[in-house]
Amino acid sequence: LEDDPLSCHFTLQDPSVYHISFTEPSLCHLTFEDHMRSQKKTNDFLKQLKDINRSELSRREQLVYDVLLEYYNIEEKMEDYYYYQNLLSPTAGIPSSLPILLSAYDFHTKEDIICYLSLLEDFDIYFGQLYAYATEQANRHLAENRESLQQTIDFCTSFATFSEDHLLLSSFEKRIHDCSFLSELEKNSYIFKNSTLITNVVLPSYLSLSNQLSSLIDKSDVNGSLYAKEKGRSYYALLARQNSGTAESPYTLFQQISARRQKDLSQMADLFSHNPALASSISSYDCPLSTPEDMMEHLQNAIQNDFPSCEQVTVTIQQIAPQLQKTSAPAYYFIAPFDSHGHHFIFYNPNANIDQTTLFTTMAHEGFPGHLYQTTYYANTNPDPLRNLLNFSGYVEGWATYAEMCSYYLSSLEKPYATLLQKNSSVLLGLYAAADIGIHYDNWSLAQTTQFFTSYGIKDEKPIREIYELIISDPANYLKYYVGYVEILDLKKASLKKKKEKFSQKKFHKSILDIGPAPFDVVEKWL
């Protein structure tokens, strides 16, 4: 964490308790030399880990050991794929992610403010390293897809435009005014320094990066799928394992996704055969809850029967800043530092063009019983602090997607309608996950991807192209949502088969939540 003060800030409210300090807070660790130093630490740590006799550990330590071993085994295998990362992805890359993090950076102490301003001072160097990374990527024929790169260039150009209410000015000023530990003189001084850094360093860095990346457009790949790159399929298989939390090959995952999709479609067909009026009546339904706050309150109450109790939390739901809406997801949740019982934030995108029912299920994904609930519940189990540093997105996003699917039954919908909408949502997400594998592992072209979606009745080419571009720019992303969700369903099915009439949804959910984020083979073993 000492190497990454920005991540540290969102992980720990008081790093000093863990003897973490920053002599020179910096964002700048994007060089190949930094990567090799980090990789050596990983390899050395893995060797030490393997020298430990697992049988001599306590039960709690054995779980930590199992999680660490899987995590670092994958990290070790990633050593040769440094330049395969999509650091410039228009949706999840560094240029689009940094404004989100910086605008949500809380100030608990003066040290937080000083650290934040120090990070801004490094922007020109950091973006210089990012451009050097992109240049080397292009020289190795591993560059970002042309369409994606152009979107990132456009975002950088737009974000570099100065205005009095620029996100990084207005959000900073608001947070500083909320700092009761500062005098008015100190507040004005910090606001002035931030304004100077944004105007003279940050925005020029965005503009410079935009101009520099434009020179790489001709070197970028028109296709952009990993299949077309040297060792791209091997990298995708590893990425699929890392993101999904399973050790299955992409080929096997594709077969499993297809089987689940056919099962969902069969259940939908069965519903229609018993009630032909479902199709016409379901189209007129919209969630009666009008605001995200109402939805969150309803969900908190509705989960009591089937999910273990969790302490009450304070959550603020806000709109995503206008400057970020074009490249942002429909919603996202900001985790409070694990050493605080802090304030949680959920941001939603009013520009996402989703209906009230979809907003309701999105609030379930981000809030209750999704991310916010899972994070808060797990923090209250007093896990080993190290567990909070390891990212297992298959478990985390799989749980949130599972929660989203459950939310149809927590709404005001009658069961046949809830089942129909839930299965439809599962089918769509399964199509995206299958296309993800098809594009990056089997080299599907846009035409083949269009044909795949058309075969399932999706014939509008514009959204298909948008999905194709999203998948190109962020490989294996959909796998963490859908495969993670299906893995939890399979664990539930196995538990139901074993427990029979003694099966309890609440006990099953508690078991999954108590184990915490981990690869699914570890979750299955401990379950």
Side-chain angles (χ1 to χ4, degrees):
L1 285 176
E2 287 183 333
D3 286 340
D4 191 355
L6 188 60
S7 292
C8 184
H9 181 81
F10 288 99
T11 307
L12 288 168
Q13 184 169 305
D14 187 2
S16 65
V17 172
Y18 293 90
H19 312 292
I20 292 169
S21 59
F22 310 106
T23 50
E24 294 181 17
S26 175
L27 293 165
C28 304
H29 296 289
L30 285 181
T31 68
F32 186 71
E33 289 71 27
D34 291 321
H35 165 67
M36 293 309 295
R37 276 194 292 272
S38 174
Q39 200 62 44
K40 185 178 186 307
K41 288 181 184 178
T42 294
N43 298 342
D44 289 346
F45 182 80
L46 185 59
K47 184 177 182 301
Q48 291 177 340
L49 200 62
K50 289 177 177 177
D51 286 341
I52 293 172
N53 185 344
R54 183 182 181 278
S55 64
E56 294 179 358
L57 302 176
S58 70
R59 185 170 175 80
R60 172 184 165 102
E61 289 169 342
Q62 284 180 354
L63 176 54
V64 177
Y65 180 90
D66 291 346
V67 168
L68 279 172
L69 190 63
E70 175 66 14
Y71 182 86
Y72 279 97
N73 270 327
I74 295 178
E75 287 294 304
E76 183 188 43
K77 289 179 172 64
M78 283 290 189
E79 180 174 354
D80 295 334
Y81 298 102
Y82 180 62
Y83 286 106
Y84 286 75
Q85 301 174 87
N86 277 8
L87 301 185
L88 293 164
S89 163
T91 52
I94 289 172
S96 58
S97 298
L98 272 175
I100 296 171
L101 296 173
L102 293 173
S103 62
Y105 192 109
D106 285 330
F107 301 136
H108 305 292
T109 63
K110 286 184 183 180
E111 287 72 23
D112 286 338
I113 304 170
I114 292 167
C115 182
Y116 176 91
L117 294 171
S118 295
L119 297 180
L120 298 188
E121 288 174 350
D122 275 347
F123 248 81
D124 53 347
I125 302 170
Y126 188 54
F127 273 29
Q129 290 183 351
L130 186 56
Y131 172 62
Y133 176 93
T135 303
E136 183 60 27
Q137 208 176 29
N139 291 338
R140 292 169 180 251
H141 307 290
L142 300 172
E144 186 92 5
N145 159 260
R146 188 167 298 177
E147 181 77 22
S148 300
L149 187 59
Q150 187 59 56
Q151 288 180 39
T152 299
I153 290 167
D154 294 342
F155 173 79
C156 290
T157 304
S158 173
F159 196 75
T161 304
F162 176 84
S163 65
E164 295 290 341
D165 62 345
H166 191 282
L167 175 65
L168 296 185
L169 295 175
S170 59
S171 65
F172 183 86
E173 194 167 330
K174 181 182 183 303
R175 282 172 286 154
I176 287 292
H177 282 309
D178 290 340
C179 293
S180 57
F181 55 85
L182 295 177
S183 68
E184 286 304 311
L185 187 63
E186 288 173 318
K187 288 178 181 178
N188 291 332
S189 174
Y190 284 131
I191 288 169
F192 176 76
K193 183 166 185 183
N194 176 70
S195 178
T196 302
L197 287 170
I198 297 300
T199 306
N200 296 337
V201 181
V202 176
L203 300 189
S205 296
Y206 266 94
L207 186 59
S208 176
L209 182 64
S210 172
N211 294 331
Q212 290 171 326
L213 292 179
S214 296
S215 68
L216 297 179
I217 279 286
D218 291 339
K219 292 184 178 181
S220 61
D221 189 350
V222 176
N223 181 332
S225 78
L226 288 173
Y227 182 97
K229 295 173 174 140
E230 185 181 358
K231 297 199 295 185
R233 292 183 91 222
S234 300
Y235 174 64
Y236 182 78
L238 194 56
L239 197 61
R241 177 179 172 183
Q242 186 178 56
N243 279 11
S244 70
T246 78
E248 301 289 1
S249 70
Y251 174 82
T252 303
L253 289 178
F254 190 90
Q255 302 306 315
Q256 291 173 345
I257 291 166
S258 297
R260 168 60 58 178
R261 182 168 64 249
Q262 292 308 314
K263 185 176 181 180
D264 287 340
L265 287 168
S266 176
Q267 288 176 301
M268 290 175 73
D270 193 49
L271 281 168
F272 284 131
S273 68
H274 286 90
N275 187 353
L278 268 177
S280 56
S281 55
I282 197 68
S283 61
S284 61
Y285 174 81
D286 209 1
C287 179
L289 299 166
S290 57
T291 68
E293 289 79 9
D294 290 341
M295 295 171 183
M296 195 67 67
E297 184 179 353
H298 171 87
L299 285 162
Q300 278 186 272
N301 294 324
I303 67 172
Q304 300 300 321
N305 290 334
D306 292 330
F307 293 83
S309 60
C310 179
E311 71 168 26
Q312 287 293 314
V313 298
T314 306
V315 57
T316 298
I317 303 172
Q318 294 180 353
Q319 291 189 12
I320 293 167
Q323 286 176 289
L324 305 177
Q325 289 176 8
K326 190 173 180 181
T327 57
S328 178
Y332 52 82
Y333 159 61
F334 256 112
I335 299 175
F338 77 79
D339 59 340
S340 75
H341 295 282
H343 203 110
H344 300 261
F345 288 90
I346 290 176
F347 293 84
Y348 74 98
N349 190 346
N351 198 30
N353 296 321
I354 56 176
D355 57 37
Q356 289 297 104
T357 303
T358 307
L359 182 60
F360 176 79
T361 58
T362 300
M363 287 299 113
H365 182 112
E366 305 299 342
F368 291 88
H371 286 312
L372 190 155
Y373 168 81
Q374 182 265 315
T375 303
T376 306
Y377 179 93
Y378 184 61
N380 290 333
T381 66
N382 191 31
D384 189 296
L386 195 60
R387 297 283 303 277
N388 294 282
L389 302 185
L390 308 178
N391 179 29
F392 293 101
S393 53
Y395 175 103
V396 172
E397 294 298 350
W399 173 268
T401 304
Y402 172 79
E404 181 182 333
M405 299 300 175
C406 289
S407 71
Y408 287 101
Y409 304 97
L410 301 171
S411 69
S412 59
L413 284 162
E414 293 178 21
K415 189 172 181 181
Y417 295 92
T419 302
L420 182 64
L421 286 177
Q422 184 266 309
K423 297 302 175 190
N424 186 63
S425 181
S426 176
V427 167
L428 282 171
L429 191 56
L431 290 174
Y432 300 159
D436 197 312
I437 297 171
I439 291 165
H440 288 291
Y441 197 71
D442 294 323
N443 201 29
W444 287 5
S445 64
L446 175 59
Q448 288 171 298
T449 306
T450 302
Q451 184 179 15
F452 173 71
F453 280 101
T454 301
S455 68
Y456 288 93
I458 301 168
K459 298 179 180 179
D460 190 339
E461 292 187 9
K462 185 173 182 289
I464 294 174
R465 184 179 182 87
E466 289 172 355
I467 292 164
Y468 181 82
E469 294 294 346
L470 272 173
I471 291 171
I472 284 287
S473 67
D474 204 356
N477 180 51
Y478 281 112
L479 300 189
K480 56 192 174 192
Y481 297 92
Y482 190 74
V483 175
Y485 155 65
V486 170
E487 285 288 325
I488 292 172
L489 283 186
D490 288 345
L491 290 171
K492 188 175 182 178
K493 182 181 177 182
S495 183
L496 179 61
K497 185 177 180 181
K498 183 178 180 181
K499 302 276 186 181
K500 296 186 172 66
E501 67 277 358
K502 293 182 180 180
F503 175 79
S504 158
Q505 284 231 77
K506 182 177 277 192
K507 286 181 180 177
F508 171 75
H509 292 152
K510 185 178 187 305
S511 297
I512 293 286
L513 292 163
D514 284 345
I515 292 166
F520 283 109
D521 59 346
V522 174
V523 175
E524 183 178 15
K525 179 170 72 173
W526 283 84
L527 190 63

